[in-house]
Amino acid sequence: MPVVLVTPLANGDLALKFGYSTPDGGCQKTDTTFTKGAVDGQFSNKAMAQTNIRVASTDYKHFAVLYVETQKGGVRNVWLQLYARAPELFPEGAQKMQQLVPQVGLNPSQGTLLPRSGDKSTDRWID
């Protein structure tokens, strides 16, 4: 199961440690820092070409919808990711994510809510 450890830094940035299993049964670990943006709750990571990362919606108890924008090679991509505290899909979180789709400029007919995978990774709205 993928694991993310988020640690707030004194300067307002976030240190993230990612760990996830690989197809060969091993474990891949990555450390990265997300730089605090101009607006509270907004972060970026230039190494990952992520220019705008923020929590678009959360109930602080069951789910969070993350907005991610990337800019690389003149191509801009936007997507939403739904995170939950339990392996089961939280219906209110999925509903909120679907409501946000047109608000962030995505076309509902071009995206999908992917079913949960066997490794319990995040559900994503893809465009």
Side-chain angles (χ1 to χ4, degrees):
M1 172 169 44
V3 176
V4 178
L5 175 64
V6 180
T7 305
L9 301 177
N11 66 357
D13 293 350
L14 295 177
L16 275 77
K17 292 184 181 223
F18 297 94
Y20 53 92
S21 59
T22 59
D24 64 0
C27 181
Q28 178 68 42
K29 298 175 190 175
T30 304
D31 293 330
T32 190
T33 300
F34 288 85
T35 306
K36 181 181 176 187
V39 179
D40 286 344
Q42 180 182 34
F43 297 89
S44 65
N45 181 296
K46 291 183 183 184
M48 298 172 72
Q50 296 176 336
T51 58
N52 186 353
I53 306 162
R54 58 187 157 86
V55 176
S57 180
T58 185
D59 71 351
Y60 295 96
K61 203 172 193 181
H62 302 100
F63 77 94
V65 178
L66 195 68
Y67 170 90
V68 180
E69 182 178 338
T70 62
Q71 184 81 28
K72 190 171 185 177
V75 177
R76 179 180 172 263
N77 291 295
V78 172
W79 67 90
L80 295 173
Q81 294 178 316
L82 174 61
Y83 291 89
R85 291 187 183 256
E88 302 79 31
L89 180 63
F90 190 70
E92 288 83 354
Q95 180 181 25
K96 187 61 178 177
M97 186 170 83
Q98 290 173 333
Q99 290 171 350
L100 287 168
V101 166
Q103 293 177 20
V104 299
L106 295 173
N107 184 336
S109 67
Q110 294 178 320
T112 186
L113 183 62
L114 300 174
R116 194 182 94 206
S117 66
D119 69 358
K120 300 179 184 173
S121 60
T122 60
D123 293 315
R124 297 175 184 210
W125 183 275
I126 57 172
D127 183 37

